[in-house]
Structures are given as C-alpha cells and as structure tokens.
Amino acid sequence: MSEKKQSALGILKFATIVCLFCSLFVSTAAVSLRGFQKQNAENEKKVNILRAAGLAGAEERLSTKQINEKFAQIIPLVIDLKTGEPARDKNPLTYNMYNAAQSDNEGHALTDDPAGIKRIAKEGLAYVVADGDQISRLVLPIQGYGLWSTMYGFTALSFKDQQPTLTGITFYQHAETPGLGARITEPEWQEKWANIIPYDDNGNPHIDLVKVRSNEAKNQVDAIAGATLTSNGVEHMMNFWLGEQGYKPLVDHIRNGEITLANLRDASQAAIGQKTEQ
C-alpha cells in the first residue's frame, strides 16, 4: 500500500474514532442531564404557581429546597371541571391535565374553543392557599393559543372579598415574538393583573385587554403594544378557563360556601395517599 493511501486511511480512522467518541459523549451527557432537565422544568412550574399564589416575588430566585418548602404551603387538587368537585382518586402531584386531554377516556374535543386548544381534560389541576381556616387564593392553570404558540401559565383568584379578584398571572412556556408577545413574562405587565375583577354581575367572565384602560373599568387590562394577537389570545384563554368549560363551577362552589377549605384539604390528602399513582 502506498504511503499516500496509508495516510488517507489513517485520517479516516482518526475521524471515525473522534466521531464515535463525540457521539458517545453527547449521548451520555443527554442521559445524565435528563434528570436535571426534568427537575428544572418542575421547579419552573412550581415557582410560577408560588408567584401566582403570592408566596414568591417576581424576581425572587429560589433553590430547589426553598421551592419545596414554600410549595408545602399549597394544597394541590384535581378538580372535575364539569361539577367543580375535587377528585379523590387522582394524585395531583403526578396527574398531567394536558396529557389527559389527548386521551379519549380522560379528555374530549372542544366545539366551542375560543382559547384555541382543541381538546380539554375532564379534570383539571388547582392549587389552594389557606389563610387560617379560610381559602385565601385559588391558583389555576391556563392554556391558550397566541400568535405563534400555545401559552402555558397560571392565574390566581383571591376570595377575601365577596367578589373574587385576580391577584396575578404568570407564564412558564410559550414561543411568542421576543420583545412583543413575549412580554407576557415581564413582571411589569403581569403586575397589571392585580385587583382585576374577572366576573360581571351575572357571574360570567368578562376580562378585556384594551389599548387604553379606563380607570373605572375593573375588568380591563392593558394590552401589549404591537402584540394584538398575543393579547387577544391571553384574553380568550383567561375568559375560557374562568368560564363554564373551565373552573367556574369550582369558583361558584367556593363563593357560595358549598366547598370549604376543610373539604379541599381532605380531598387532597385522600388523593395523594392513593397507593396507585394516577
């Protein structure tokens, strides 16, 4: 074999070994980091719930230990969306309402779909914050389509007054336009949702995102300039999830005193204590 051919063969062998080594390294790193990625995603969700619940600041940085300590103050639940009653047979710590929506047994297609989500689970998650023996806040998952993406987040209702009021909104996943629709994650805009009254006198959700908010209108929130479709998506998703197809039956039960903190805490403990994870 000529010297030139031996040289070419050597280069090919070296390149092959390097490629195999790199592939092995990347594969090993991906597998080893999967647990960290899953933990980070779970922490991100919990932090957004804590922020919506008023248990963490918008800019507050928390360790996994601090997140879990604060989250222990929250009562997680699975709620039958049709009846508004808490479920006792599904563990809220393991239940995924978005995966359930895709199941023929646990979800169904929407014909009236202002939020643009196509399918919804029969049961949704909810998170309760207690104040003594009373329900202080109810944190609810929200999901809806904006300009480019499905947006996922949380909103919270306060029950300190006769009329429930919003205390905030957060988002943990979206693909909206940077600098425009992506401003839904900015604390300055999210703070505009505090003290908004989401229900009209008939108990129907009536949140409006407008270009210029009226000081007299307690149901209006400033829309994001230059992001009309994202703003419309947020408006539609909020009214959807606070409505009859979403969490309104649960909200009505709480407002009317038909479901108490003791009822919800008992249902949560029973569901989490299930031997078989749902």
Side-chain angles (χ1 to χ4, degrees), residues 1 14 49 55 78 105 108 115 123 126 156 165 170 250 267:
M1 185 179 295
F14 177 77
I49 294 170
L55 298 176
V78 176
N105 293 328
H108 61 87
E123 295 168 306
T165 58
T170 64
L250 171 63

Side-chain angles (χ1 to χ4, degrees), residues 189-207:
W189 185 75
Q190 294 178 356
E191 289 170 0
K192 296 178 184 293
W193 289 81
N195 301 316
I196 296 297
I197 298 176
Y199 294 102
D200 62 21
D201 293 338
N202 296 318
N204 298 314
H206 70 146
I207 296 170

Side-chain angles (χ1 to χ4, degrees), residues 117-167:
I117 58 176
K118 298 182 180 179
R119 295 183 63 87
I120 187 172
K122 296 175 183 178
E123 295 168 306
L125 288 162
Y127 305 88
V128 173
V129 182
D131 182 7
D133 60 353
Q134 301 296 317
I135 297 170
S136 172
R137 292 189 185 187
L138 177 66
V139 181
L140 304 172
I142 50 175
Q143 171 200 19
Y145 203 81
L147 172 60
W148 303 112
S149 67
T150 300
M151 303 171 288
Y152 296 88
F154 297 95
T155 191
L157 288 167
S158 170
F159 290 89
K160 289 185 177 180
D161 300 319
Q162 183 65 29
Q163 175 71 279
T165 58
L166 293 175
T167 61

Side-chain angles (χ1 to χ4, degrees), residues 37-59:
Q37 292 169 339
K38 185 177 180 180
Q39 182 65 61
N40 287 339
E42 185 66 23
N43 284 350
E44 183 68 14
K45 281 189 181 181
K46 285 184 176 180
V47 166
N48 276 272
I49 294 170
L50 292 172
R51 288 172 179 166
L55 298 176
E59 303 291 345

Side-chain angles (χ1 to χ4, degrees), residues 138-250:
L138 177 66
V139 181
L140 304 172
I142 50 175
Q143 171 200 19
Y145 203 81
L147 172 60
W148 303 112
S149 67
T150 300
M151 303 171 288
Y152 296 88
F154 297 95
T155 191
L157 288 167
S158 170
F159 290 89
K160 289 185 177 180
D161 300 319
Q162 183 65 29
Q163 175 71 279
T165 58
L166 293 175
T167 61
I169 189 172
T170 64
F171 290 93
Y172 63 89
Q173 182 178 327
H174 72 89
E176 297 301 285
T177 308
L180 293 173
R183 290 183 57 205
I184 58 174
T185 62
E186 293 181 359
E188 294 80 7
W189 185 75
Q190 294 178 356
E191 289 170 0
K192 296 178 184 293
W193 289 81
N195 301 316
I196 296 297
I197 298 176
Y199 294 102
D200 62 21
D201 293 338
N202 296 318
N204 298 314
H206 70 146
I207 296 170
D208 289 330
L209 268 70
V210 297
K211 291 183 179 180
V212 181
R213 180 185 176 188
S214 167
N215 291 329
E216 289 74 34
K218 301 300 183 182
N219 66 315
Q220 293 183 351
V221 181
D222 291 327
I224 299 173
T228 301
L229 293 180
T230 300
S231 297
N232 289 344
V234 173
E235 177 184 308
H236 294 156
M237 71 192 288
M238 287 292 289
N239 286 320
F240 174 85
W241 286 105
L242 294 176
E244 289 290 350
Q245 296 188 91
Y247 291 95
K248 186 175 183 295
L250 171 63

